[in-house]
Amino acid sequence: MYDVNTHDVRRFFADVWQKRLQPLSLDALQRKALAIIETHPEYHRYLDNIEAYLDKVWTPEEGESNPFLHMSLHLS
């Protein structure tokens, strides 16, 4: 079982996004994550400003979906 918390997942995606211009530095999992990120331009603003979104809670009641959960489901 993996011991990963919300901040780790969010930072993982943000780190991959920051490294997108250096694709040779990405491992296989990161390349797969980058492909997912690239298909979701609506999430790029979160990745560009990750510190502001580390503790954000997206709720269905507010008509929101969690972009990091969404990308994680694609990745899994």
Side-chain angles (χ1 to χ4, degrees):
M1 194 54 84
Y2 295 104
D3 183 21
V4 179
N5 64 46
T6 302
H7 286 187
D8 291 340
V9 171
R10 294 176 184 192
R11 287 187 192 282
F12 167 77
F13 282 108
D15 184 53
V16 167
W17 182 238
Q18 288 174 348
K19 292 179 179 177
R20 70 188 177 277
L21 300 177
Q22 305 159 349
L24 296 178
S25 69
L26 300 175
D27 63 28
L29 181 64
Q30 291 169 323
R31 286 192 303 275
K32 185 173 181 181
L34 180 58
I36 293 164
I37 293 167
E38 288 173 334
T39 65
H40 289 287
E42 69 275 22
Y43 299 157
H44 295 177
R45 63 187 168 121
Y46 303 122
L47 298 166
D48 288 332
N49 190 17
I50 192 63
E51 294 300 322
Y53 296 102
L54 285 176
D55 294 312
K56 167 109 173 99
V57 176
W58 284 269
T59 62
E61 294 81 18
E62 294 177 11
E64 301 177 313
S65 62
N66 183 326
F68 299 98
L69 176 60
H70 182 93
M71 290 187 291
S72 294
L73 290 172
H74 279 295
L75 193 57
S76 67

